[in-house]
């Protein structure tokens, strides 16, 4: 019991974790309360199915194609590590393979939905001035956060000093463009990797996908494509949150009857 | 014997006679040579028409692979972008600069022309002659090209209202032949 209390206390202390508690071997034999049982079930149920939130219904190949997601930069701007994600090159213009994009986007949206389901803090980052307003309104509409301005040096790595003690860092960072205004990789990609924060990023043919947890190869320069991504992320996050509310209502109604 | 005469008659004479001979024939009489080929082709054409009419546009589009969508897209069919005439739409105006989107990855920025410039506002469709789909250049000492994130095109003028709407796709797909005979397309 002491070990269990210590684990629970430690988990609440660390700001990075999002309400998840670890069940150690010694605590399995201890009697669990009904509340813990219900919350365990709420957290474990979505992990049993591969596409619990049915995010693959939100988009189709035709939608991606019509939003010009397959158009990449010129082959002279290509990043070496993006070559596996390219379908080919047409008259010096790279074409991104939408079949691979479909798979990666489904994984990324599924992960985002799970994070939103577990009450995680999601941060949208993009340094493209053309889409700054779009990203900020997207974050507002799904109740999450956005950072589309100049990124100060130690925002994630030096957060204790710069933002105050016990600041809760984001549990997921979504990059709608990994490059900053001078075509270098955004500092937050490296910093998120340093702080063990998973990232979802739309990587164009001139971006470096190596530090990103869930890269989504696709066009990040056309307004139609950006609107599509913002809409998809907003819908998945709202789906995850609504599902959580629904599960809590259902289990909340059934738990008191079980305890009797 | 009768079949042979009919066949020779079909080959030499006009199309109307072929049609009358076929309509008079019963289905169980065996065909050969030209008659058999003609019947097979009409059957195939009828089947193709019925299948395309039966399938709705949305379901057939969803079964298409990325490769076939790409092959039929305007970007591939257009070929080299140099000196292609396309139709674009103005989506932003900053005093004399018109930001025009023509369906490519980037937009282009053109200056408002002196004559007839007041008619061009946000949402108006214009004709452009493309020069480059993306302006890039390799500078000394750089590993990759620097890109301007813009296309370059020459503004030809406002779009004349003689385009046709494609009912299947719902978008304005418009192919026209310019005076020099080059095919131009717009998305």
């Amino acid at each position: 019991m002491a070990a269990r209390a210590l684990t629970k206390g430690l988990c609440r202390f660390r700001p990075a974790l999002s309400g998840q508690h670890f069940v150690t071997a010694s605590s399995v034999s201890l009697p669990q309360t009904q509340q813990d049982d219900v919350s365990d079930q709420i957290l474990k149920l979505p992990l049993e199915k591969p596409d619990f939130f049915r995010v693959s219904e939100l988009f189709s190949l035709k939608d991606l194609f019509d939003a010009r997601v397959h158009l990449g930069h010129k082959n002279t701007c290509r990043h070496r590590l993006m070559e596996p994600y390219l379908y080919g090159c047409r008259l010096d213009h790279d074409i991104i393979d939408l079949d691979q994009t479909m798979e990666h986007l489904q994984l990324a949206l599924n992960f985002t939905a799970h994070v939103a389901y577990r009450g995680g803090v999601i941060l949208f980052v993009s340094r493209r001035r053309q889409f700054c307003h779009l990203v900020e309104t997207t974050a507002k509409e799904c109740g999450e956060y956005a950072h589309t301005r100049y990124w100060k040096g130690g925002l994630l790595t030096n957060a204790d000093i710069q933002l105050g003690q016990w600041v809760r860092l984001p549990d997921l960072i979504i990059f709608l463009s990994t490059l900053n205004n001078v075509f270098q990789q955004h500092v937050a990609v490296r910093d998120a990797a340093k702080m063990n924060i998973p990232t979802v990023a739309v990587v164009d043919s001139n971006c470096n996908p190596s530090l990103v947890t869930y890269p989504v190869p696709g066009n990040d320069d056309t307004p139609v494509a950006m609107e599509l991504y913002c809409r998809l992320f907003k819908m998945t996050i709202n789906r995850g949150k609504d599902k959580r509310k629904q599960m809590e209502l259902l289990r909340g109604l059934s738990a008191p009857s079980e305890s009797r | 014997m009768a079949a042979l005469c009919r066949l020779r008659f079909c080959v030499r004479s006009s199309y109307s006679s072929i049609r009358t001979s076929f309509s008079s024939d019963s289905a169980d009489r065996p065909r050969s040579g030209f008659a058999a080929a003609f019947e097979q082709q009409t059957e195939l054409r009828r089947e193709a028409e019925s299948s395309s009419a039966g399938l709705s546009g949305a379901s057939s589009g969803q079964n298409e692979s990325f490769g076939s969508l790409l092959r039929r897209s305007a970007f591939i069919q257009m070929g080299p972008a140099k000196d292609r005439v396309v139709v674009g739409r103005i989506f932003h105006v900053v005093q004399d600069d018109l930001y025009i989107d023509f369906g490519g990855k980037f937009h282009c920025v053109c200056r408002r022309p002196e004559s007839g410039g007041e008619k061009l506002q946000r949402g108006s469709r214009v004709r452009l002659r493309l020069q480059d789909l993306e302006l890039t250049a390799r500078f000394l000492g750089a590993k990759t090209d620097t890109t301007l994130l813009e296309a370059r095109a020459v503004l030809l003028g406002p779009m004349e209202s003689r385009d046709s709407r494609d009912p299947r796709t719902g978008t304005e797909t418009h192919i026209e032949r310019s005076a020099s005979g080059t095919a131009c397309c717009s998305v």
Side-chain angles (χ1 to χ4, degrees):
Chain A
M1 189 167 326
R4 182 172 165 71
L6 188 64
T7 327
K8 267 186 115 172
L10 267 177
C11 295
R12 283 216 196 89
F13 210 56
R14 264 171 40 205
L17 292 172
S18 52
Q20 193 186 17
H21 68 261
F22 301 101
V23 179
T24 58
S26 59
S27 62
V28 164
S29 55
L30 292 166
Q32 286 186 345
T33 60
Q34 278 296 328
Q35 266 318 96
D36 292 336
D37 222 359
V38 166
S39 58
D40 267 347
Q41 219 175 2
I42 290 178
L43 291 177
K44 279 192 197 144
L45 191 64
L47 298 174
E48 284 157 19
K49 289 193 201 148
D51 196 4
F52 182 75
F53 300 97
R54 297 199 316 268
V55 293
S56 41
E57 294 172 356
L58 293 174
F59 62 97
S60 70
L61 189 75
K62 192 88 172 63
D63 292 336
L64 295 184
F65 192 84
D66 291 335
R68 310 177 215 164
V69 167
H70 60 291
L71 298 176
H73 286 267
K74 276 213 169 131
N75 58 355
T76 42
C77 295
R78 190 194 303 170
H79 196 282
R80 190 177 56 89
L81 294 171
M82 283 300 289
E83 276 163 20
Y85 300 119
L86 298 180
Y87 185 77
C89 187
R90 162 75 175 171
L91 293 167
D92 291 343
H93 285 86
D94 285 337
I95 308 283
I96 294 167
D97 189 2
L98 279 192
D99 295 323
Q100 290 190 52
T101 303
M102 289 275 284
E103 293 167 12
H104 283 89
L105 188 58
Q106 199 269 319
L107 290 171
L109 289 177
N110 183 41
F111 183 72
T112 314
H114 278 273
V115 170
Y117 179 86
R118 285 162 173 263
V121 170
I122 298 175
L123 182 68
F124 286 87
V125 172
S126 164
R127 200 58 184 104
R128 290 294 301 265
R129 283 197 276 248
Q130 193 180 1
F131 310 118
C132 143
H133 180 73
L134 173 69
V135 171
E136 287 177 347
T137 41
T138 308
K140 202 167 166 182
E141 280 163 19
C142 54
E144 296 297 339
Y145 306 85
H147 189 108
T148 56
R149 314 285 162 158
Y150 176 72
W151 182 276
K152 259 194 183 157
L155 214 57
L156 291 176
T157 43
N158 205 14
D160 280 354
I161 299 170
Q162 287 189 3
L163 299 173
Q165 278 189 333
W166 315 131
V167 162
R168 184 172 164 182
L169 291 180
D171 302 303
L172 172 65
I173 301 185
I174 299 181
F175 288 91
L176 287 148
S177 167
T178 49
L179 297 180
N180 61 14
N181 286 329
V182 284
F183 302 101
Q184 288 167 349
Q185 196 180 45
H186 200 293
V187 167
V189 177
R190 190 198 64 196
D191 284 355
K194 280 186 188 175
M195 301 300 292
N196 282 344
I197 299 172
T199 43
V200 166
V202 175
V203 281
D204 204 348
S205 63
N206 59 347
C207 303
N208 183 359
S210 47
L211 282 178
V212 179
T213 331
Y214 290 93
V216 177
N219 183 11
D220 63 0
D221 297 302
T222 315
V224 201
M226 291 297 276
E227 280 164 17
L228 175 80
Y229 299 134
C230 287
R231 203 180 66 233
L232 286 175
F233 283 119
K234 185 175 62 171
M235 279 159 71
T236 31
I237 292 170
N238 285 332
R239 254 196 200 189
K241 288 182 173 175
D242 291 342
K243 195 77 187 178
R244 179 58 181 257
K245 270 188 226 153
Q246 193 188 42
M247 292 285 264
E248 277 179 349
L249 277 172
L250 282 173
R251 307 291 161 162
L253 284 173
S254 60
S257 62
E258 279 167 20
S259 62
R260 245 184 277 149
Chain B
M1 177 62 184
L4 253 162
C5 292
R6 206 176 299 112
L7 187 63
R8 226 183 289 137
F9 186 67
C10 293
V11 166
R12 257 191 260 133
S13 58
S14 62
Y15 187 66
S16 53
S17 52
I18 293 169
R19 226 185 280 149
T20 51
S21 66
F22 267 46
S23 57
S24 61
D25 272 347
S26 57
D28 49 279
R29 208 182 285 263
R31 309 232 190 271
S32 62
F34 178 78
F38 184 79
E39 200 176 56
Q40 191 188 28
Q41 289 302 313
T42 44
E43 272 301 311
L44 283 169
R45 201 170 295 156
R46 216 176 298 135
E47 270 170 26
E49 273 168 27
S50 63
S51 62
S52 64
L55 279 170
S56 64
S59 60
S60 62
Q62 273 164 19
N63 295 335
E64 269 192 274
S65 70
F66 170 56
S68 63
L69 275 174
L70 186 68
R71 187 163 38 93
R72 269 176 239 146
S73 68
F75 174 66
I76 301 286
Q77 296 291 324
M78 175 175 75
K82 191 98 175 70
D83 296 328
R84 277 266 181 271
V85 177
V86 295
V87 173
R89 195 182 51 88
I90 300 175
F91 68 93
H92 194 234
V93 174
V94 175
Q95 287 165 14
D96 266 349
D97 296 323
L98 309 168
Y99 289 71
I100 304 163
D101 173 32
F102 53 86
K105 183 169 162 91
F106 298 106
H107 58 268
C108 65
V109 185
C110 300
R111 201 186 309 196
R112 196 193 291 268
E114 287 87 20
S115 60
E118 288 73 33
K119 283 187 289 179
L120 300 174
Q121 298 301 330
R122 263 190 74 176
S124 43
R125 296 172 73 235
V126 292
R127 288 169 75 235
L128 305 165
R129 179 174 292 123
L130 292 181
Q131 304 299 322
D132 202 350
L133 285 178
E134 184 179 352
L135 293 171
T136 57
R138 178 71 59 100
F139 286 86
L140 208 57
K143 277 192 293 187
T144 57
D145 273 17
T146 309
T147 168
L148 270 182
L149 302 177
E150 250 180 50
R152 190 195 300 193
V154 173
L155 184 62
L156 296 177
M159 180 65 204
E160 304 308 315
S161 57
R162 49 185 183 84
D163 58 322
S164 56
R165 274 190 165 271
D166 192 331
R168 277 178 302 151
T169 58
T171 53
E172 291 166 11
T173 316
H174 163 220
I175 299 183
E176 63 165 23
R177 296 220 167 252
S178 70
S180 60
T182 54
C184 330
C185 62
S186 69
V187 177

